[in-house]
Amino acid sequence: MTAFCADGPMAEIEHLQSHVSDRLAAEALIVDVDGFEGPLDLLLTLSRTQKVDLRQISVLALAKQYLAFVERARELRIELAADYLVMAAWLAFLKSRLLLPPDPEDDGPSGEDLAAHLAFQLERLEAMREAGAKLMARDQLGRDFFARGIPESYERVRRVRYSATLLDLMQGYARIRTRDEFRPFVMDRQSVMTMEEALDRMRNLINFAGSWTDLSSYMPDGWGSDPVRRRSATASNFAASLELAKAGKIEIRQGDTFAPIQIRRRHDG
Amino acid sequence: MAEPDLNPPLFDAPPLADQERMVEAILFASAEPVTVAELNARMPHGCDAAAALDLLRKRYEGRGVTVMKVGEAWAMRTASDLGYLMQREVVETRKLSRAAIETLAIVAYHQPCTRAEIEEIRGVSVSRGTIDQLLELEWIRFGRRRATPGRPVTFVVTQGFLDHFGLESARDLPGLKDLRAAGLLENRPVPGTGGDEVETDDDQSDMFDGEGETDEGETDQ
Amino acid sequence: MAEPDLNPPLFDAPPLADQERMVEAILFASAEPVTVAELNARMPHGCDAAAALDLLRKRYEGRGVTVMKVGEAWAMRTASDLGYLMQREVVETRKLSRAAIETLAIVAYHQPCTRAEIEEIRGVSVSRGTIDQLLELEWIRFGRRRATPGRPVTFVVTQGFLDHFGLESARDLPGLKDLRAAGLLENRPVPGTGGDEVETDDDQSDMFDGEGETDEGETDQ
């Protein structure tokens, strides 16, 4: 802690008087450094030792107290969080601004402006802290006053009504019949391979697959060229292979995403 | 209180009006009905919960909330005649799914009609859910079993169906020729273009066949 | 109802006394505040919930249960002077940390309020957990994004907050007027930062200014 004091002889005396208690306070603070919610909180606590209204606070004295605190923490090899050190640097800067005559070259904010802002921040933080305390001191729901203990739920009974008109019906029928005129529905089945079909085929073929084979090689002849048929057969073969794997008949593997899927007969299966 | 007037208790019990407030608050906030004994135990010494309860019951007579006895205990409940305020019936109108409309149309035009026949005409299988929905709506019902191997059930449309669609009988349904005349068959899909869209849709429902609900996925609102 | 007597509506609304019973039943049954609009929606056509509510409030004045305004909604709650009778109903809640209480107060008094503003006032970064806890309690919620660079989200207090602390509106926060008069709810820029941006002559004050936003590392509690 610096012995330097800029506030005149009276302050010097006061300073000496409070020297011991300040140090004790600073030590108490250091022990409890984890209890602070950041540098502003620490400043607010330190400012209370001045025992004046926050509006009359001596920011210079406060800066000194804070710097002494940080110094002490350093001596005790207590790691301070970065923002405490940032604040210390800023306060050191503020202190020099307050103590040195203003530099005419520098058009930045005056030390007084910065000090006033810091005082405002402290006052605002304290005000919010008090507001929080007042809020928590209010009567609270579930503690001081209570809601209905057996609430009756407001039910929304949903009833669905389906609508269909004669026109919908006729259009639906027309849609089917018109389709029939052009494309007999039986044609549709020619491009579809069901999973059952695929399963039947693979059950027979799998007995020959002692080593890893691509699943795509199980494509039936003539199904690979037409995209619609290829899609159907691929899907069904895949589903069938999953069925077989589930039944413990085959093993299945894929090297990577989108890599070929390979299967082989399980030797014990 | 049994104390004689000449010898008042050390602490006066609160006035009965205050006791009534207490009972009111306790009954309101309690998650369960409360017995008189419990009330007395919770209220300050010297209170007479039964008397306070009596006052409270009278106060709530004819109100929107009543004080009721539940077994040996007491509770406050909303008046039973206002129960309708606690629920609201929301009627949702939904369009019937395409699968259901087509199935219904086929039954109407081809009744009596088996499920296999419906599938043959639609070109895709018909999910259990679709049939169930139409049965539930009471627009179709089971007809006679067909006298063919397996004796499959048939479906026919109901009187409810005729009422809903404003028909005298199923024979009054317009025929294909009428549909064409009415312009309903004009938009003939060219194979591979317009019809394809229909196709894709049906394939989809075919894929999810048997799940019923999924088949109805296209319902709106 | 604004209908003139000469031209009565097709269906008469129930007498106001009955409407009062209805409002009583609805508010009584609900643990959550109910808005006048909701009341009107649930009551029969032509009812005037606001008028009925007025009657009801008067009826419950000084009772063990009171009708309270909570933001735009209304709720029935036990009178707070009877809280001591309700020890059994007390729901043990986790004690809020100092950080959470301060953050809540800052949001309430400065709303809508960004995270950076909370951090500036507290002089320390706000941990995710603190905000999460308040969101989870449904005491704060996201407000509109601020129309400043980065469009930061803002926080505001909820109806649940008002309900919990027995406040009619955020304007009734304790000491709000005094704080405003003292200028403590203003957002004063740090001297030398020019309020908006630019003017980076003063490196150190800039450092401090930006500190709240960049140093997310430290968490509280």
Side-chain angles (χ1 to χ4, degrees):
Chain A
M1 180 177 285
T2 57
F4 182 76
C5 193
D7 295 351
M10 262 317 284
E12 185 80 23
I13 294 163
E14 274 178 27
H15 177 76
L16 287 171
Q17 281 172 344
S18 61
H19 191 78
V20 175
S21 58
D22 272 3
R23 268 216 340 235
L24 285 173
E27 276 177 23
L29 290 169
I30 283 169
V31 173
D32 205 21
V33 69
D34 283 341
F36 289 100
E37 305 250 341
L40 215 50
D41 181 34
L42 172 57
L43 275 170
L44 193 56
T45 307
L46 289 171
S47 70
R48 293 217 179 89
T49 62
Q50 292 195 15
K51 296 188 179 70
V52 289
D53 192 278
L54 274 178
R55 303 211 159 195
Q56 269 104 54
I57 195 101
S58 161
V59 170
L60 183 62
L62 190 59
K64 285 179 189 164
Q65 277 177 289
Y66 185 94
L67 293 171
F69 169 82
V70 172
E71 192 54 40
R72 194 81 184 96
R74 213 168 265 156
E75 280 169 22
L76 292 172
R77 294 167 192 274
I78 291 171
E79 289 272 335
L80 283 178
D83 47 357
Y84 286 84
L85 301 177
V86 170
M87 177 61 93
W90 187 80
L91 286 172
F93 164 77
L94 175 62
K95 198 176 99 182
S96 69
R97 279 254 157 155
L98 288 170
L99 292 175
L100 300 172
D103 180 357
E105 300 284 295
D106 188 355
D107 55 355
S110 71
E112 280 71 26
D113 287 346
L114 294 172
H117 187 74
L118 180 63
F120 166 74
Q121 283 182 298
L122 291 173
E123 203 187 342
R124 184 172 61 180
L125 179 60
E126 182 163 76
M128 282 302 107
R129 196 158 283 175
E130 279 170 7
K134 272 187 203 157
L135 205 55
M136 301 316 283
R138 282 186 72 86
D139 287 336
Q140 293 182 36
L141 180 66
R143 192 188 76 181
D144 306 294
F145 62 97
F146 296 83
R148 175 74 178 131
I150 319 171
E152 292 161 53
S153 59
Y154 174 45
E155 290 170 23
R156 305 185 80 192
V157 182
R158 220 178 56 166
R159 217 181 51 163
V160 180
R161 209 179 58 199
Y162 284 96
S163 73
T165 64
L166 188 57
L167 195 67
D168 292 331
L169 197 70
M170 294 187 317
Q171 279 172 337
Y173 190 62
R175 199 162 51 225
I176 303 163
R177 300 316 300 207
T178 324
R179 198 173 55 206
D180 281 358
E181 284 177 19
F182 291 92
R183 277 190 322 137
F185 66 89
V186 282
M187 293 294 288
D188 297 340
R189 296 291 188 192
Q190 289 196 347
S191 302
V192 174
M193 173 176 275
T194 64
M195 195 192 78
E196 282 75 16
E197 285 165 28
L199 203 53
D200 284 345
R201 271 188 81 246
M202 286 181 73
R203 269 205 194 96
N204 294 326
L205 294 171
I206 197 68
N207 292 325
F208 304 103
S211 55
W212 291 106
T213 3
D214 280 8
L215 183 62
S216 57
S217 66
Y218 287 83
M219 184 72 62
D221 289 339
W223 284 71
S225 48
D226 178 24
V228 177
R229 302 185 92 195
R230 188 174 64 231
R231 207 157 54 216
S232 174
T234 304
S236 296
N237 276 347
F238 178 61
S241 67
L242 291 181
E243 278 297 322
L244 289 171
K246 201 169 96 184
K249 301 269 189 244
I250 63 164
E251 289 174 306
I252 192 161
R253 75 175 186 188
Q254 187 175 27
D256 202 349
T257 315
F258 301 123
I261 296 167
Q262 297 183 314
I263 58 172
R264 77 168 173 202
R265 172 166 49 91
R266 264 180 78 135
H267 299 292
D268 54 339
Chain B
M1 297 202 357
E3 305 281 337
D5 283 9
L6 296 172
N7 191 12
L10 199 55
F11 299 104
D12 283 326
L16 202 54
D18 284 354
Q19 297 186 30
E20 189 197 326
R21 288 181 74 227
M22 295 175 190
V23 174
E24 187 179 28
I26 294 173
L27 291 189
F28 175 86
S30 287
E32 278 160 24
V34 187
T35 63
V36 173
E38 280 174 289
L39 283 172
N40 272 324
R42 286 171 74 166
M43 288 159 69
H45 188 72
C47 282
D48 182 353
L53 191 60
D54 237 36
L55 278 183
L56 191 71
R57 286 177 71 188
K58 291 208 183 78
R59 181 183 295 271
Y60 275 98
E61 252 165 39
R63 306 286 323 145
V65 171
T66 55
V67 180
M68 286 171 59
K69 194 162 190 195
V70 183
E72 288 306 299
W74 294 86
M76 285 171 97
R77 292 270 194 270
T78 54
S80 54
D81 66 312
L82 297 177
Y84 68 94
L85 292 171
M86 301 304 145
Q87 60 174 40
R88 181 162 65 181
E89 195 173 80
V90 187
V91 179
E92 270 179 50
T93 306
R94 283 195 212 164
K95 264 183 107 106
L96 216 52
S97 71
R98 183 156 161 174
I101 284 273
E102 290 183 5
T103 304
L104 182 62
I106 292 164
V107 174
Y109 277 93
H110 295 268
Q111 64 172 344
C113 178
T114 67
R115 184 168 167 160
E117 284 162 355
I118 297 168
E119 291 182 339
E120 192 181 305
I121 294 169
R122 276 197 76 210
V124 292
S125 60
V126 174
S127 79
R128 177 93 247 148
T130 304
I131 300 273
D132 284 349
Q133 189 187 17
L134 294 174
L135 286 169
E136 210 169 285
L137 283 166
E138 297 187 357
W139 282 349
I140 67 171
R141 64 176 173 79
F142 293 109
R144 290 182 172 200
R145 282 185 183 274
R146 186 63 56 75
T148 50
R151 293 180 45 73
V153 291
T154 63
F155 299 99
V156 294
V157 291
T158 62
Q159 186 60 44
F161 166 85
L162 297 175
D163 290 345
H164 183 93
F165 291 96
L167 296 164
E168 284 287 316
S169 76
R171 279 186 301 279
D172 289 338
L173 277 169
L176 275 187
K177 226 178 267 174
D178 303 311
L179 293 177
R180 192 164 283 136
L184 289 167
L185 291 193
E186 263 179 6
N187 286 336
R188 294 182 183 184
V190 180
T193 57
D196 243 290
E197 211 181 308
V198 176
E199 211 20 63
T200 321
D201 194 74
D202 284 347
D203 277 346
Q204 198 86 350
S205 75
D206 201 30
M207 258 176 75
F208 295 115
D209 185 33
E211 281 179 51
E213 291 310 307
T214 333
D215 195 26
E216 255 55 85
E218 46 180 287
T219 52
D220 39 337
Q221 286 290 353
Chain C
M1 302 251 326
E3 305 280 338
D5 285 9
L6 296 173
N7 190 13
L10 198 57
F11 299 104
D12 282 327
L16 200 55
D18 284 355
Q19 297 185 31
E20 191 198 324
R21 285 182 75 228
M22 294 176 192
V23 173
E24 186 179 26
I26 294 172
L27 290 190
F28 181 88
S30 171
E32 302 292 320
V34 184
T35 64
V36 173
E38 282 174 273
L39 286 170
N40 274 323
R42 285 171 65 172
M43 288 160 70
H45 187 72
C47 282
D48 183 353
L53 196 54
D54 240 34
L55 284 181
L56 191 71
R57 286 180 78 186
K58 292 206 183 82
R59 182 182 297 272
Y60 275 91
E61 255 165 35
R63 306 284 324 145
V65 171
T66 58
V67 179
M68 288 173 66
K69 188 168 192 211
V70 182
E72 295 305 302
W74 296 84
M76 281 174 111
R77 301 285 180 248
T78 60
S80 50
D81 66 309
L82 299 176
Y84 69 95
L85 293 172
M86 248 57 79
Q87 289 319 305
R88 226 163 284 190
E89 270 68 52
V90 170
V91 190
E92 276 308 322
T93 44
R94 194 151 68 95
K95 246 181 104 89
L96 282 187
S97 67
R98 207 167 97 189
I101 294 171
E102 274 175 34
T103 303
L104 179 64
I106 291 166
V107 172
Y109 285 79
H110 287 82
Q111 65 173 341
C113 181
T114 66
R115 188 174 172 138
E117 283 161 358
I118 298 168
E119 294 182 337
E120 203 215 291
I121 293 172
R122 296 196 62 231
V124 72
S125 58
V126 175
S127 79
R128 179 90 251 148
T130 303
I131 298 272
D132 284 353
Q133 192 187 8
L134 295 174
L135 285 170
E136 211 168 283
L137 282 165
E138 296 186 4
W139 285 352
I140 67 171
R141 62 175 175 82
F142 292 105
R144 290 186 171 196
R145 282 181 183 274
R146 186 65 55 78
T148 51
R151 294 179 43 73
V153 293
T154 63
F155 297 99
V156 294
V157 291
T158 62
Q159 179 181 281
F161 166 83
L162 298 177
D163 193 18
H164 187 90
F165 292 100
L167 293 162
E168 278 200 19
S169 77
R171 283 184 299 278
D172 299 316
L173 284 165
L176 184 72
K177 249 184 228 163
D178 294 339
L179 289 173
R180 190 168 286 146
L184 289 170
L185 302 185
E186 288 163 20
N187 203 354
R188 278 191 213 171
V190 181
T193 57
D196 276 55
E197 41 188 75
V198 215
E199 276 204 77
T200 36
D201 311 1
D202 197 337
D203 285 353
Q204 301 212 29
S205 97
D206 211 41
M207 228 168 93
F208 175 55
D209 186 37
E211 182 243 329
E213 276 151 317
T214 47
D215 190 8
E216 299 275 29
E218 216 218 354
T219 55
D220 39 335
Q221 214 266 336

